[in-house]
Amino acid sequence: QITLKESGPTLVKPTQTLTLTCTFSGFSLSTSGVGVGWIRQPPGKALEWLALFYWDDDRRYSPSLKSRLTITKDTSKNQVVLTMTNMDPVDTATYYCAHREPAAGTLDYWGQGTLVTVSS
Amino acid sequence: DIQMTQSPSTLSASVGDRVTITCRASQSFSRWLAWYQQKPGKAPKLLIYKASSLESGVPSRFSGSGSGTEFTLTISSLQPDDFATYYCQQYNSYPWTFGQGTKVEIK
């Protein structure tokens, strides 16, 4: 059974760096084709894809946010970490991590999401 | 970036209705298109992948079709549990992009 759970601060100040951790179980990030992605959703708005970490250590980022994002993994802890620098109030959103399924090619299992508010 | 535009933005329908949601892409691609259902306060749920493949456990009243720049999600007979917001997503090229969503409301 695949599960993912996001953790991190619920409130960050403008200009601070956000660090979010996705802790997963039920799959291995060493399995060919598997990935873990991050997606966010501002309140009342649409989904926005942020980044993806693949089994072979390939990393993909949204070009509009690439300069601010870093995605890494901790294999021993079954975790994928997303950092976003220079946070702004427009970054207030629910942040989700999700499992990328090789056969489907996209995100089949999602975490419950974590709401991050950017405010001074 | 491939822009995904859904129509309509809001849809009012009754239980038992046949419902169709359209997703248009700014560039043509073959089948790397997914549909998700999202309910308030919940994570999106994968319904359809590769444009027309039904995710395991998803009721057969959901179907997807299309290629090129136009894709559709059809619910053959709307059920009470189906009132939600639906998103299309292309994963043909990076950055992956989502449509703006279609809210299916009770008529």
Side-chain angles (χ1 to χ4, degrees):
Chain A
Q1 177 192 2
I2 291 176
T3 64
L4 304 98
K5 188 172 184 179
E6 307 86 353
S7 59
T10 58
L11 178 66
V12 297
K13 293 182 178 353
T15 75
Q16 286 187 336
T17 294
L18 170 69
T19 299
L20 293 173
T21 301
C22 177
T23 303
F24 59 86
S25 63
F27 68 93
S28 171
L29 198 41
S30 301
T31 300
S32 179
V34 169
V36 172
W38 285 94
I39 308 93
R40 70 179 178 180
Q41 185 173 37
K45 296 189 177 181
L47 300 161
E48 179 185 15
W49 176 80
L50 301 177
L52 191 57
F53 194 105
Y54 282 103
W55 85 102
D56 58 358
D57 291 347
D58 187 21
R59 304 156 207 228
R60 301 285 177 162
Y61 295 99
S62 169
S64 64
L65 293 167
K66 186 174 183 178
S67 63
R68 300 173 52 205
L69 293 176
T70 304
I71 190 169
T72 59
K73 73 173 181 180
D74 186 331
T75 305
S76 65
K77 295 181 180 179
N78 276 356
Q79 292 178 336
V80 171
V81 177
L82 182 75
T83 59
M84 181 180 292
T85 61
N86 194 25
M87 292 293 285
D88 183 270
V90 299
D91 297 314
T92 293
T94 296
Y95 287 75
Y96 296 99
C97 64
H99 169 262
R100 187 256 186 187
E101 206 282 322
T106 191
L107 307 166
D108 60 346
Y109 287 90
W110 294 57
Q112 63 189 25
T114 185
L115 176 62
V116 178
T117 301
V118 184
S119 175
S120 54
Chain B
D1 299 8
I2 299 179
Q3 313 272 5
M4 306 300 291
T5 303
Q6 290 181 231
S7 59
S9 295
T10 307
L11 188 160
S12 295
S14 301
V15 172
D17 284 353
R18 181 181 182 88
V19 166
T20 298
I21 300 169
T22 299
C23 185
R24 289 186 173 85
S26 61
Q27 300 173 34
S28 179
F29 57 90
S30 58
R31 60 175 183 162
W32 304 109
L33 189 285
W35 290 96
Y36 296 88
Q37 177 194 68
Q38 188 179 33
K39 296 182 178 179
K42 300 294 187 181
K45 174 186 175 182
L46 179 65
L47 301 175
I48 301 286
Y49 62 92
K50 291 182 185 176
S52 60
S53 295
L54 191 67
E55 173 71 352
S56 176
V58 174
S60 58
R61 62 180 180 273
F62 291 92
S63 64
S65 64
S67 66
T69 60
E70 187 163 320
F71 300 85
T72 60
L73 173 70
T74 299
I75 309 172
S76 60
S77 177
L78 198 66
Q79 298 302 301
D81 191 49
D82 302 338
F83 292 96
T85 300
Y86 294 84
Y87 292 94
C88 62
Q89 177 231 341
Q90 70 80 21
Y91 51 109
N92 178 78
S93 62
Y94 297 103
W96 291 1
T97 47
F98 292 86
Q100 82 279 14
T102 295
K103 186 175 183 179
V104 177
E105 298 181 326
I106 301 172
K107 190 172 184 178

